């Protein structure tokens, strides 16, 4: 894989994703996206009619990234891109593209590499929500240095991050999440936890967040120049709303009603997502981005 090939893959993704978003065509998007990235986008298509107008407008905007930097590990079937998403406003973003295991490897023809863009799909797209992206470590040949998801860097390993971050939703951060550096991402989760039972109406409902297994468990990690790790990992939890008094029922929200509009005494909604985490060699690990999508409600 070369930077020229990676640029071709990104360009192909931008063109196809723009058309798919405009028409909310999940089958078309599946040609350039997979895993959690496809799952979250498909959920948005399904819920389109229930979304506020401002959120619906986002589907009409072109998918475009500028100033991409490609971080390509040697021999890996994936690579990372750090770039600026252009709309609705400039946003530093981390993307991961991966080749499906059943796809044939790229071939070399006439001295020129030709990795077909159709063989690669976007598996992660996370906007930078807090802090700065660390500089990626490179090998002597200029390739990105890959890190194993079970490699410890400081207090955590990449595969520890999901359970650690989900503790913010489960307890408000009194358990494993106490190890995380405070920032805008962790504070948002803590705020939602603190206010979880506010504005639930007269049904006397209570809200709990329960960590669950994600439907897509892929993780990706690179070494940073400072000796740490930058990792993209899966997230998943259920939001369980239950009434506490007899005779009450909960009316699902517009988005939840897409899956089941029946008023009931318990509404269990499933959220799947991904996190971007920096695990420094020294100091507290930081979650730089965490994005979820409602993917089911019963």
């Amino acid at each position: 894989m070369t930077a020229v090939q990676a640029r071709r893959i990104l360009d192909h993704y931008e063109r196809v994703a723009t058309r798919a978003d405009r028409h909310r065509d999940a089958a078309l998007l599946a040609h350039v996206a997979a895993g959690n990235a496809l799952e979250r986008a498909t959920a948005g298509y399904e819920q389109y009619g229930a979304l506020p107008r401002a959120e619906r407008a986002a589907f009409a905007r072109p998918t475009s990234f500028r100033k991409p930097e490609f971080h390509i590990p040697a021999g890996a079937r994936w690579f990372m891109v750090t770039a600026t998403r252009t709309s609705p406003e400039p946003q530093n973003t981390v993307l991961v593209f991966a080749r499906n295991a059943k796809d044939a490897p790229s071939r070399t023809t006439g001295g020129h590499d030709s990795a077909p863009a159709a063989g690669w799909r976007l598996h992660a797209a996370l906007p930078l929500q807090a802090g700065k992206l660390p500089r990626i470590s490179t090998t002597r040949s200029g390739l990105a240095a890959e890190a194993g998801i079970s490699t410890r860097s400081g207090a955590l390993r990449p595969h520890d991050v999901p359970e650690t971050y989900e503790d913010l939703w489960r307890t408000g951060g009194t358990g494993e999440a106490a190890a995380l550096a405070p920032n805008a991402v962790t504070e948002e989760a803590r705020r939602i936890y603190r206010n979880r039972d506010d504005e639930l109406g007269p049904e006397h409902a209570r809200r709990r967040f329960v960590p669950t297994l994600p439907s897509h468990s892929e993780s990706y990690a690179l070494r940073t120049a400072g000796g740490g790790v930058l990792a993209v990992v899966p997230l998943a939890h259920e939001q369980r709303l239950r009434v506490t008094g007899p005779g009450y029922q909960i009316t699902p929200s517009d988005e939840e009603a897409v899956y089941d509009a029946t008023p009931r005494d318990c509404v269990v909604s499933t959220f799947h997502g991904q996190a971007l985490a920096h695990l420094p060699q020294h100091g507290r690990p930081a979650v730089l981005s965490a994005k979820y999508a409602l993917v089911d409600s019963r």
Side-chain angles (χ1 to χ4, degrees):
M1 171 60 62
T2 67
V4 171
Q5 293 171 329
R7 174 80 249 195
R8 190 183 309 147
I9 291 165
L10 176 61
D11 290 345
H12 179 65
Y13 169 76
E14 290 176 331
R15 291 192 297 270
V16 176
T18 294
R19 296 200 307 272
D21 284 352
R22 185 173 296 126
H23 300 288
R24 300 179 298 284
D25 186 340
L28 176 60
L29 188 65
H31 288 288
V32 294
N36 182 262
L38 178 62
E39 182 183 34
R40 283 194 287 145
T42 300
Y45 295 169
E46 293 171 340
Q47 298 162 32
Y48 178 83
L51 297 174
R53 180 176 298 180
E55 293 185 34
R56 294 200 303 268
F59 290 86
R61 299 188 186 106
T63 299
S64 179
F65 298 92
R66 61 180 176 84
K67 297 182 179 179
E69 294 184 24
F70 300 99
H71 311 283
I72 304 169
R77 300 181 68 88
W78 67 277
F79 65 90
M80 184 180 290
V81 185
T82 54
T84 302
R85 184 159 191 158
T86 59
S87 65
E89 58 186 21
Q91 176 71 68
N92 290 335
T93 304
V94 170
L95 306 101
V96 173
F97 288 89
R99 178 185 286 277
N100 192 302
K102 68 181 180 180
D103 291 324
S106 61
R107 297 177 180 176
T108 302
T109 305
H112 297 282
D113 293 333
S114 57
W120 294 79
R121 288 170 175 77
L122 179 80
H123 280 246
L126 290 164
L128 183 64
Q129 296 174 290
K132 295 181 179 180
L133 283 174
R135 189 161 58 90
I136 301 301
S137 176
T138 56
T139 64
R140 290 182 178 180
S141 59
L143 296 173
E146 187 175 13
I149 63 169
S150 61
T151 301
R152 181 174 296 279
S153 178
L156 297 177
R157 296 162 293 188
H159 68 52
D160 296 327
V161 175
E163 181 178 356
T164 302
Y165 180 74
E166 290 292 353
D167 177 66
L168 290 166
W169 297 85
R170 185 174 62 87
T171 71
T174 60
E176 297 96 324
L180 296 174
N183 60 21
V185 178
T186 58
E187 180 50 36
E188 180 182 18
R190 284 191 171 95
R191 177 182 55 79
I192 294 174
Y193 178 84
R194 287 194 303 268
N195 302 327
R196 63 194 181 281
D197 293 333
D198 295 353
E199 301 179 0
L200 289 180
E203 297 91 349
H204 300 286
R206 291 292 179 267
R207 188 192 317 264
R208 293 177 59 219
F209 297 99
V210 180
T212 61
L213 292 176
S215 55
H216 302 283
S217 59
E218 300 89 350
S219 296
Y220 308 91
L222 294 177
R223 294 280 187 185
T224 68
V229 171
L230 182 67
V232 172
V233 298
L235 299 173
H237 63 238
E238 289 180 348
Q239 172 187 269
R240 299 180 182 179
L241 283 174
R242 185 181 297 275
V243 297
T244 59
Y248 288 106
Q249 289 187 319
I250 299 169
T251 300
S253 69
D254 291 344
E255 292 89 343
E256 291 167 339
V258 169
Y259 304 98
D260 187 349
T262 308
R264 49 202 187 271
D265 61 6
C266 181
V267 176
V268 179
S269 298
T270 302
F271 292 82
H272 289 168
Q274 290 172 308
L276 174 68
H278 177 210
L279 312 181
Q281 199 170 35
H282 305 287
R284 299 172 75 178
V287 176
L288 307 180
S289 181
K291 300 296 289 184
Y292 292 90
L294 170 69
V295 298
D296 192 24
S297 184
R298 303 297 173 190

